[in-house]
Amino acid sequence: MRKKLKNRSKTFLCVVIMLLVITNCVTLFFWLQGISVQDLKDYFLQPVGEIVEDEEGNVLKLGDVTPSSLDAYYIDIVNIGDSNLIKLGDYEILIDGGEKRDGTDAVVPFLKEKVTDGIIELTIVTHSDSDHNGGFSGLKDDGAYTGIFYSGFRFAYITDYGYKEKYENTEYEDAREHALNMGNGKYQSINDAFTGNENTYYKVVIGEDFSLEFIDTGYYDIYGANVNDRSIVCIVKYFDYTFFHGGDINDDQEKLLIEKYDLPKINFYKASHHGSITSNCKELLDVINPDFIFLNCEIENQHNIPNIKALEVLTQYANDNMYVTGLNGTIDVRITSSDVVVLCANNNTKFIDTEYYDKIMNGEIHK
């Protein structure tokens, strides 16, 4: 018996040595040929999409045909943070990842259910608040992070806020580098988006009838500005339907958007800053006149959001079509060639018809 085990150990050792020799020989061969590790990644991990130029700048083109249906998910997470997934067939766009535990406990399992091809084509991280970027690093388990960027998906393109708040890398920045290195992804900061330089893009398209366009608030490059003020803003168009995502922008940025752009009517509006009174100004809402309003937040949260003042403004719009993830669960706006429906994981009760809405408006909670 001992002899057999000894022979097996020798065989295993020989196999390991042979593999090491072969690996080193292959590496030496490619090095002599002038082929780098990055070249090998580019060869074996075929690029996703291409960057083309239009009259306004560079456009990331992910596909030639627009899928016939879209699901826009407002993910229910434990805390007050944001995480949203836009899915068109096998194309996925992820916007923000919630707090650390949200990324690990809520967002990663959700992505594993929805992203069947293993590739998230575009990831957007609107700003550096932990309830938006923490989920990408996630929690630690036995010394390893378990967040979105460590979940095994390939992240083809990442756009984020770009600024550094510390000299050393943060957990988010380490997680981003891990995702880029593992999947041969491409990165740009939001400031890069408007330079027109090679490998940067201000808009993303899939076929002729889907686009996501970054909107310049004028605050992206203001050093020392409040991180909420520097949130990335984007407008999504799918055939005749429009979506607005503004992270945690405040009313100053919202008013600048009105001045600088001819904003379209917005069908589906994610209330900025989770329904805070510092955002969602009446001037902006008058212009975009949303049909539906969605709030990413838990009821009776420690931040007292949404409060009375915010709801007094928001409930003037959308004909009472307001939904809250903390009540309704994950919200899915599903658009097909024949129908548009809002599906909620828990219930389809409008926020205005709930006891929580009454408690807020009566001053019992979220004062």
Side-chain angles (χ1 to χ4, degrees), residues 119-280:
I119 302 173
I120 296 175
E121 278 73 15
L122 176 65
T123 302
I124 301 168
V125 188
T126 59
H127 63 295
S128 65
D129 273 350
S130 63
D131 62 326
H132 292 254
N133 78 353
F136 290 98
S137 58
L139 300 173
K140 267 188 174 182
D141 182 18
D142 292 332
Y145 288 101
T146 57
I148 298 164
F149 278 157
Y150 296 97
S151 57
F153 293 105
R154 181 181 175 191
F155 297 88
Y157 293 89
I158 299 172
T159 296
D160 70 15
Y161 46 87
Y163 52 82
K164 287 184 70 70
E165 293 191 302
K166 300 178 179 179
Y167 287 109
E168 69 276 11
N169 271 6
T170 62
E171 290 177 340
Y172 165 75
E173 288 163 336
D174 285 339
R176 182 187 67 198
E177 293 309 305
H178 173 83
L180 293 169
N181 290 333
M182 292 299 292
N184 198 28
K186 310 299 180 186
Y187 168 74
Q188 70 169 15
S189 73
I190 188 59
N191 280 321
D192 296 333
F194 302 102
T195 63
N197 292 342
E198 186 180 4
N199 296 324
T200 66
Y201 48 91
Y202 80 98
K203 183 163 71 172
V204 180
V205 299
I206 303 173
E208 296 183 356
D209 296 297
F210 175 87
S211 67
L212 180 150
E213 184 173 350
F214 296 116
I215 308 299
D216 188 358
T217 64
Y219 273 74
Y220 296 143
D221 61 351
I222 299 180
Y223 179 78
N226 183 289
V227 297
N228 291 335
D229 297 347
R230 301 176 75 174
S231 291
I232 295 174
V233 175
C234 60
I235 292 177
V236 173
K237 295 181 180 179
Y238 178 68
F239 290 94
D240 295 327
Y241 301 99
T242 52
F243 297 78
F244 184 97
H245 289 266
D248 285 356
I249 59 166
N250 290 323
D251 51 11
D252 285 343
Q253 294 80 56
E254 293 172 342
K255 291 170 184 175
L256 279 173
L257 293 178
I258 300 168
E259 295 173 7
K260 291 177 62 177
Y261 295 97
D262 182 16
L263 296 174
K265 173 182 171 57
I266 297 297
N267 302 111
F268 306 102
Y269 175 69
K270 186 194 75 65
S272 296
H273 206 175
H274 323 288
S276 170
I277 190 56
T278 59
S279 310
N280 312 292

Side-chain angles (χ1 to χ4, degrees), residues 1-12:
M1 185 68 178
R2 288 183 179 176
K3 189 174 182 181
K4 285 183 179 179
L5 288 174
K6 200 170 184 180
N7 289 335
R8 285 179 184 174
S9 298
K10 285 182 178 179
T11 302
F12 176 75

Side-chain angles (χ1 to χ4, degrees), residues 21-62:
V21 170
I22 292 169
T23 301
N24 288 328
C25 287
V26 170
T27 302
L28 179 62
F29 171 77
F30 283 121
W31 179 76
L32 291 173
Q33 297 295 316
I35 300 173
S36 66
V37 172
Q38 186 62 46
D39 292 331
L40 290 174
K41 282 187 177 181
D42 290 338
Y43 179 79
F44 288 108
L45 292 172
Q46 294 299 318
V48 175
E50 62 175 335
I51 295 176
V52 298
E53 188 176 356
D54 71 4
E55 63 276 5
E56 295 184 39
N58 291 340
V59 175
L60 172 59
K61 184 178 179 182
L62 292 175

